Amino acid sequence: GAGVSQSPRYKVAKRGQDVALRCDPISGHVSLFWYQQALGQGPEFLTYFQNEAQLDKSGLPSDRFFAERPEGSVSTLKIQRTQQEDSAVYLCASSLAYRDIGGDTQYFGPGTRLTVL
Amino acid sequence: AQSVTQPDIHITVSEGASLELRCNYSYGATPYLFWYVQSPGQGLQLLLKYFSGDTLVQGIKGFEAEFKRSQSSFNLRKPSVHWSDAAEYFCAVGPLMIKAAGNKLTFGGGTRVLVKP
């Protein structure tokens, strides 16, 4: 079956522009995560959805970052007034997470590489 | 706060030789432990995970990892490396119980593996 897909794969933005990054999770996956991966570093958690509810947004670096998942499936990460420090790969992951016990495998998309000039 | 340390940024190994990647973690409670691999332009793929039971865990692609509670380590090993194993490897920890925080992962900085012919 299809895995997690993300679009666009590459995005170049001028400083100050708004961008929207899309994530299509695996069908039926309840949980959806966004991570930010700066060059040469490991991914860092941004935000988490359980169905359409955003239960944790503690990793969003500023109020310029906004994520939504209105119908509990596709999610969009929006960055307003982009800055150079926003340049990174943005990874989306989904998991079944139908229970309260951890350890469910997160399946990652290929990421969107954002470059802010 | 939880943290994951991968002391080796780069490792170069000859094809056919053995490989060991180090991972140390700091976590308030017993976590789930994961190893992911990331090939260029690809998303993260789960190699293996551990919570309890046998401290030696078998994964895909011939990888295994050993959990040592006394050392807070979860090192990844492969007895004989193939050229296709050249990639970046990430160790990660996740919570035992999801509750409202979600199964968010905390990643190490990664180890890039280069394979010499």
Side-chain angles (χ1 to χ4, degrees):
Chain A
V4 178
S5 61
Q6 293 185 246
S7 60
R9 292 291 310 276
Y10 303 90
K11 177 70 179 177
V12 178
K14 292 183 179 179
R15 191 172 55 184
Q17 283 185 329
D18 298 348
V19 298
L21 313 179
R22 177 187 169 105
C23 172
D24 284 85
I26 294 173
S27 178
H29 277 194
V30 169
S31 293
L32 185 144
F33 303 81
W34 284 98
Y35 294 86
Q36 180 190 58
Q37 186 176 18
L39 187 63
Q41 298 185 23
E44 292 190 353
F45 170 80
L46 292 177
T47 187
Y48 160 66
F49 290 86
Q50 187 176 88
N51 294 308
E52 69 278 4
Q54 188 175 21
L55 298 186
D56 187 348
K57 52 182 180 179
S58 62
L60 295 177
S62 77
D63 58 8
R64 297 185 295 103
F65 286 70
F66 171 77
E68 60 183 3
R69 194 186 184 197
E71 297 179 0
S73 179
V74 171
S75 176
T76 303
L77 176 67
K78 297 178 179 178
I79 309 173
Q80 297 176 325
R81 304 181 304 282
T82 52
Q83 304 294 314
Q84 285 188 323
E85 60 263 27
D86 300 334
S87 295
V89 175
Y90 291 86
L91 296 168
C92 176
S94 69
S95 71
L96 279 172
Y98 55 88
R99 50 186 180 157
D100 290 333
I101 299 174
D104 282 318
T105 298
Q106 290 187 24
Y107 296 87
F108 283 80
T112 295
R113 182 178 296 278
L114 173 65
T115 303
V116 181
L117 302 177
Chain B
Q2 57 265 37
S3 66
V4 179
T5 302
Q6 295 180 244
D8 304 305
I9 298 175
H10 294 99
I11 285 183
T12 300
V13 61
S14 297
E15 193 170 12
S18 63
L19 174 68
E20 180 167 12
L21 305 182
R22 295 183 290 164
C23 172
N24 293 92
Y25 67 92
S26 172
Y27 205 81
T30 305
Y32 273 95
L33 297 160
F34 305 81
W35 274 100
Y36 280 87
V37 60
Q38 186 176 41
S39 299
Q42 311 250 337
L44 293 157
Q45 182 183 21
L46 180 69
L47 289 174
L48 47 81
K49 64 182 179 183
Y50 173 81
F51 166 60
S52 65
D54 192 343
T55 56
L56 187 63
V57 183
Q58 301 298 320
I60 63 171
K61 304 186 178 187
F63 284 93
E64 64 181 25
E66 185 173 13
F67 171 65
K68 294 185 177 180
R69 184 185 301 276
S70 61
Q71 298 177 19
S72 295
S73 70
F74 188 55
N75 294 349
L76 181 72
R77 299 196 294 251
K78 185 168 184 176
S80 178
V81 168
H82 187 262
W83 64 267
S84 60
D85 294 323
E88 187 139 26
Y89 292 80
F90 292 94
C91 181
V93 299
L96 167 59
M97 299 296 293
I98 296 179
K99 295 184 178 178
N103 191 19
K104 62 184 175 184
L105 300 177
T106 300
F107 287 87
T111 299
R112 182 167 297 277
V113 173
L114 304 175
V115 180
K116 294 190 302 184

